[in-house]
Amino acid sequence: MTKLRIGIVGGGGIAQAAHINNYKKHVDRVELVAIADVNETTLRRNVEAHGFAHSFSDYREMFEKVELDAVSICTPNKFHAPATIAALRAGCHVLCEKPPAMTAAEAIQMEAAATESGKILTYGFCNRYRGRALYLKRAIEAGELGHIYAGRVAAMRRNGIPGGVFVNKELQGGGPLIDIGVHMLDLALWFMDFPKPVQVMGSAYRELGTKPYDTVPTPWDYVNYTVEDLAMGMIRFDNGATLLLETSFIVHMPEGSNSTVRLHGTKGGLDYKSAGIHKLSQGIPVDIVAPKIPDPDMHQVQLEAFIAAAEGNGTMLSTPREGVVVQQIIEALYRSAETGEAVNL
Ligand SMILES: NC(=O)c1ccc[n+]([C@@H]2O[C@H](COP(=O)([O-])OP(=O)(O)OC[C@H]3O[C@@H](n4cnc5c(N)ncnc54)[C@H](O)[C@@H]3O)[C@@H](O)[C@H]2O)c1
């Protein structure tokens, strides 16, 4: 079989940690051919470390000049949509990092470009590829929870404001909601089989991110901190289900972090963090816990699925349509936070 010719757009942190390193585990099936990054130093380092034959400061030039089969989009969120659409129009399969885009309109354009090209478009909702997520999804499909009618999504950090672009609204579209909350929101929606959202209510705060520590150096750019540091929300669906959501980069709370999905069904509930399924049996609470679920690296499993799908074997878990729904909810939560009104979808 001829090797897949791989391109990378954005050669920073996640490209190194989750894409390039994992492509390199399959040199018999893929070839790292080209990379685009606006930062010359990053480009040079990537070429030296990984042997890309072609490098570009503009991804559009990369797609014009080099023939590629599959591309990872690993830029700040602002460039996900234009780079993904350019890649699809150039005939490439695309694995675009999460969140899909900055807005729902962009996610819709990405979906349309995927349909027109006939190529794969999938998003880096890597948590779906965790062992416990796959186990819980199978349990739900086997009817263990019954009808899921309510739930709670948390992606909370007590003191975890990231550096770089992650505090920049112009480049990222927002803070914890679009960056980390989106992972757990997507997981909850996937577990619930993506019911249609009909109404969203949200609040967003910037109480701590803009202020320095009292006495010690502050590790993030609090002067140019333009995203929320805490977001809260409620999402109602057309099947009557409700999800509550909370997500923070920084907030005063007892634990260092708390990331989970809890779902309540007519037959049972689940807790993603502990992979627990909770029921009543003859009036007695029964907890099904599976301490030995295999949990290989989710990024590697996701990338291997992408390589296989690009070779024509199998499909990806995350679809362009689901990306649209996730983005609609995120956008509506931010809009509701801004206006103080519920948003009907
Ligand atoms: N799935 C996950 O768990 C996960 C984890 C971290 C980050 N991410 C996502 O990955 C994306 C990148 O995050 P990161 O941590 O790698 O950021 P980063 O800042 O480390 O890397 C981004 C890279 O993109 C480059 N870039 C900026 N604009 C560009 C453009 N127009 N064209 C080409 N390159 C451009 C930058 O120079 C940089 O090298 C974000 O969307 C983020 O949400 C996902």
Side-chain angles (χ1 to χ4, degrees):
M1 192 193 282
T2 51
K3 290 186 187 182
L4 292 173
R5 292 167 59 82
I6 304 293
I8 303 287
V9 182
I14 199 68
Q16 303 302 320
H19 295 257
I20 295 171
N21 60 333
N22 285 319
Y23 283 123
K24 285 177 89 172
K25 292 177 185 148
H26 297 279
V27 288
D28 53 328
R29 293 158 71 197
V30 305
E31 190 184 349
L32 288 170
V33 172
I35 182 160
D37 197 298
V38 288
N39 184 311
E40 282 301 327
T41 311
T42 304
L43 260 191
R44 200 179 49 251
R45 280 203 194 118
N46 270 287
V47 169
E48 283 166 11
H50 309 300
F52 289 95
H54 306 277
S55 62
F56 301 89
S57 55
D58 186 331
Y59 61 81
R60 289 166 296 195
E61 200 185 340
M62 177 173 90
F63 292 124
E64 273 164 29
K65 295 200 169 149
V66 185
E67 206 167 300
L68 298 166
D69 298 308
V71 176
S72 288
I73 307 292
C74 303
T75 62
N77 301 346
K78 181 174 181 179
F79 309 106
H80 285 189
T84 292
I85 292 168
L88 289 164
R89 289 191 178 149
C92 302
H93 301 297
V94 177
L95 167 54
C96 173
E97 266 306 337
K98 52 47 69 173
M102 301 280 271
T103 64
E106 283 184 343
I108 289 169
Q109 287 164 14
M110 294 158 92
E111 180 191 34
T115 306
E116 263 166 47
S117 69
K119 298 292 171 184
I120 297 160
L121 168 59
T122 191
Y123 296 114
F125 287 125
C126 45
N127 287 273
R128 295 195 196 187
Y129 286 92
R130 268 187 202 275
R132 63 179 189 265
L134 294 163
Y135 156 75
L136 289 169
K137 178 72 174 166
R138 283 193 299 271
I140 292 167
E141 284 172 353
E144 295 273 0
L145 266 58
H147 166 57
I148 299 168
Y149 57 90
R152 181 182 285 266
V153 167
M156 300 288 283
R157 291 182 190 159
R158 178 175 184 166
N159 190 12
I161 298 186
V165 296
F166 291 91
V167 300
N168 180 326
K169 189 169 180 184
E170 147 75 24
L171 288 174
Q172 290 294 99
L177 173 58
I178 201 164
D179 184 39
I180 54 175
V182 71
H183 271 303
M184 292 299 113
L185 173 63
D186 171 74
L187 204 51
L189 294 169
W190 183 56
F191 285 149
M192 296 167 78
D193 211 15
F194 272 83
K196 183 180 162 11
V198 290
Q199 193 179 53
V200 168
M201 216 159 74
S203 304
Y205 301 90
R206 197 160 54 212
E207 294 290 341
L208 306 179
T210 52
K211 299 179 183 79
Y213 291 151
D214 288 345
T215 50
V216 291
T218 307
W220 73 89
D221 184 1
Y222 59 89
V223 177
N224 299 301
Y225 188 94
T226 50
V227 300
E228 83 279 4
D229 52 32
L230 170 73
M232 315 283 292
M234 184 170 116
I235 307 137
R236 294 170 59 158
F237 299 90
D238 69 344
N239 66 354
T242 307
L243 268 184
L244 297 178
L245 171 147
E246 54 178 354
T247 179
S248 67
F249 278 161
I250 185 167
V251 72
H252 299 309
M253 66 178 201
E255 312 88 14
S257 68
N258 178 30
S259 250
T260 197
V261 172
R262 279 194 173 174
L263 295 176
H264 313 301
T266 49
K267 290 191 184 166
L270 74 72
D271 177 53
Y272 167 67
K273 195 174 180 180
S274 60
I277 295 177
H278 309 282
K279 301 188 170 216
L280 278 180
S281 174
Q282 298 166 63
I284 310 288
V286 172
D287 301 317
I288 303 169
V289 286
K292 290 245 158 83
I293 298 173
D295 199 16
D297 179 70
M298 60 182 174
H299 294 294
Q300 185 176 342
V301 180
Q302 175 179 258
L303 199 92
E304 284 170 356
F306 181 59
I307 293 171
E311 288 171 337
N313 301 314
T315 54
M316 297 304 290
L317 292 180
S318 163
T319 68
R321 178 70 337 218
E322 291 167 348
V324 170
V325 175
V326 170
Q327 209 70 52
Q328 281 171 336
I329 293 174
I330 299 273
E331 187 174 310
L333 283 165
Y334 280 130
R335 194 160 2 116
S336 172
E338 254 174 55
T339 61
E341 305 281 335
V343 173
N344 293 321
L345 292 167

